[in-house]
Amino acid sequence: EDVSAKFVSQKISRTRWRPLPAAALQPPDIFATGSWDNEDNRISIWSAGDLGNAGLNGEYHGEPHLLCDIQHNGDVMDMQFLDQERIVVASSTGTVTIFRHHQNNQTLSANHRWEKAHYHVDQDTSCGGAACTGVVCNNPEIVTVGEDGRINLFRADQKDAVRTIDNADSSTLHAVTFLRTTEILTVNSIGQLKIWDFRQQRNEPSQIFSLAGDRVPLHCVDRHPNQQHIVATGGQDGMLSIWDIRQGTMPVSLLNAHEAEMWEVHFHPSDPDHLFTCSEDGSLWHWDTSTNVSEKPSFLHQGGRSTAYLSHSTINQSVVSAWLSNDPTKDRMEITNLIPNQTLSVNSLDVLGPCLVYGTDAEAIYVNRQLFA
């Protein structure tokens, strides 16, 4: 298999590729991980391994190796690279920290800290911190959401929050992403997707969408990189929901996916016909809607991977995107579970170029460098 594993003796809650410089041609190599549910949680920077050890057939050998790490107070709830050197980390204590990776001597240091960015009672009580559940960056801006229903807008170079929406939500906010430079999307524990516009002074969402019927908590959200009206979410029931935020207030597709909570969903940043989801049930699914699927032979059980085709009916669309398609010839989707025999939760994944990195409660990180081989 083209997957290399590294056992790290800590449960991994987040994995993130370091972004590549704009002109870079080589595949990504550096990634960061954060841990949770350990006595001593850590932020770690890894090199994915030496591509130079490729064997005669170009298959890849070598496992990820640790470049540096640093202790982190509390569980790592989320993390995002701000730029090539800085990583923003959300903690279960409510604190948000920017760590800097010094590449010349391979060390990590805490660069800036917003203590108790999220809190239940008031910022000054010793035990008042509320978990910061999600963070998203658009350098220099950083948006955080938390268990306290609060939204913060920070700037990397400023001590105080630029904007705080105190009672943004009466339930827990689980995740956040940018829709545009001034707008964000949040998902909450009662199945709602909300749009917030920072240009507006009022502390109300500009739009609210929700799952019909059961208020299933939503845990993760991602926006299509090219078609900003297409949004994917996942939640407690393991379903994948696709939303078109230009119309209606409900998802356009609900796709049966995992058998337990879906923890993360990511469109491939440069090839968004591909989407990836991971779950508490120990699976990591690759959803392929690229148009040549119908001509492909069925990949059932080839190489030990199971593949299912499923149709999804969607409301009549004006734009043709594979994710919103109502053309029956395109109405097939190839789904591959990239880890058929995993048992413990897959908590996080990240995808960049041909490379996938994911982390699990089995205290391991995995790198697949040939996603599309």
Side-chain angles (χ1 to χ4, degrees):
E1 282 291 318
D2 1 321
V3 178
S4 53
K6 176 86 176 173
F7 291 91
V8 293
S9 63
Q10 46 186 355
K11 292 182 184 176
I12 298 298
S13 59
R14 284 295 181 259
T15 57
R16 297 288 180 252
W17 288 112
R18 183 176 80 186
L20 289 168
L25 296 173
Q26 77 277 23
D29 175 52
I30 304 293
F31 65 91
T33 61
S35 70
W36 81 289
D37 198 27
N38 308 291
E39 280 181 27
D40 172 25
N41 288 305
R42 306 194 83 73
I43 305 294
S44 309
I45 304 282
W46 305 83
S47 166
D50 182 11
L51 269 176
N53 325 348
L56 293 173
N57 305 326
E59 76 276 26
Y60 160 72
H61 301 293
E63 57 175 34
H65 57 271
L66 182 67
L67 297 174
C68 51
D69 65 355
I70 192 169
Q71 189 170 0
H72 178 265
N73 191 13
D75 292 341
V76 173
M77 302 294 288
D78 198 8
M79 62 186 205
Q80 295 286 335
F81 275 89
L82 183 65
D83 53 28
Q84 299 278 304
E85 291 173 350
R86 290 177 296 174
I87 312 165
V88 183
V89 180
S91 170
S92 57
T93 65
T95 295
V96 177
T97 311
I98 303 180
F99 290 96
R100 185 179 286 274
H101 174 212
H102 306 273
Q103 296 172 40
N104 50 357
N105 61 357
Q106 292 303 344
T107 56
L108 272 166
S109 64
N111 182 244
H112 189 84
R113 205 174 252 127
W114 290 283
E115 296 283 351
K116 292 219 185 104
H118 295 271
Y119 52 91
H120 280 307
V121 192
D122 60 74
Q123 259 170 314
D124 306 323
T125 44
S126 58
C127 58
C132 176
T133 49
V135 59
V136 64
C137 305
N138 184 13
N139 193 6
E141 298 192 317
I142 298 162
V143 177
T144 70
V145 297
E147 234 171 47
D148 52 0
R150 195 173 266 108
I151 299 173
N152 291 306
L153 172 62
F154 295 111
R155 272 208 189 88
D157 43 13
Q158 292 181 20
K159 190 162 111 11
D160 296 318
V162 179
R163 174 95 183 263
T164 294
I165 304 178
D166 267 330
N167 298 308
D169 211 296
S170 56
S171 62
T172 295
L173 289 169
H174 279 144
V176 59
T177 191
F178 275 101
L179 186 57
R180 300 182 180 77
T181 45
T182 57
E183 287 181 303
I184 57 163
L185 287 164
T186 60
V187 293
N188 70 10
S189 60
I190 56 170
Q192 293 173 320
L193 172 68
K194 297 184 183 180
I195 300 179
W196 305 81
D197 186 342
F198 284 128
R199 291 168 302 190
Q200 297 181 359
Q201 284 315 300
R202 49 193 199 96
N203 293 339
E204 301 287 325
S206 51
Q207 273 178 284
I208 301 179
F209 303 81
S210 59
L211 295 169
D214 316 333
R215 299 186 150 199
V216 177
L218 291 173
H219 292 307
C220 53
V221 58
D222 198 25
R223 189 208 77 203
H224 190 291
N226 315 334
Q227 295 179 300
Q228 295 174 329
H229 54 276
I230 302 176
V231 173
T233 63
Q236 189 173 306
D237 57 1
M239 297 276 280
L240 173 64
S241 306
I242 305 291
W243 312 68
D244 180 347
I245 58 170
R246 299 168 309 178
Q247 55 176 33
T249 56
M250 284 159 56
V252 290
S253 323
L254 285 171
L255 300 169
N256 276 317
H258 302 278
E259 287 164 25
E261 290 94 336
M262 184 191 296
W263 293 131
E264 290 207 311
V265 55
H266 288 294
F267 285 101
H268 191 288
S270 53
D271 196 353
D273 283 348
H274 298 268
L275 178 132
F276 298 83
T277 59
C278 63
S279 167
E280 177 74 29
D281 68 9
S283 61
L284 191 158
W285 285 18
H286 173 190
W287 305 70
D288 179 0
T289 65
S290 50
T291 42
N292 58 352
V293 168
S294 48
E295 289 89 67
K296 285 180 186 169
S298 170
F299 288 117
L300 281 164
H301 308 304
Q302 182 185 327
R305 294 176 176 178
S306 59
T307 299
Y309 287 103
L310 49 104
S311 288
H312 58 294
S313 56
T314 53
I315 299 161
N316 190 19
Q317 304 301 337
S318 53
V319 77
V320 178
S321 157
W323 292 107
L324 305 178
S325 164
N326 62 331
D327 168 358
T329 60
K330 292 209 180 90
D331 220 4
R332 295 171 66 138
M333 194 179 301
E334 190 192 339
I335 302 160
T336 311
N337 179 9
L338 298 182
I339 32 180
N341 306 320
Q342 160 77 3
T343 51
L344 292 177
S345 178
V346 183
N347 296 323
S348 183
L349 72 97
D350 196 23
V351 56
L352 187 58
C355 301
L356 166 75
V357 60
Y358 59 95
T360 73
D361 273 354
E363 307 196 340
I365 46 180
Y366 300 84
V367 176
N368 178 342
R369 302 193 61 148
Q370 296 172 335
L371 260 186
F372 302 112

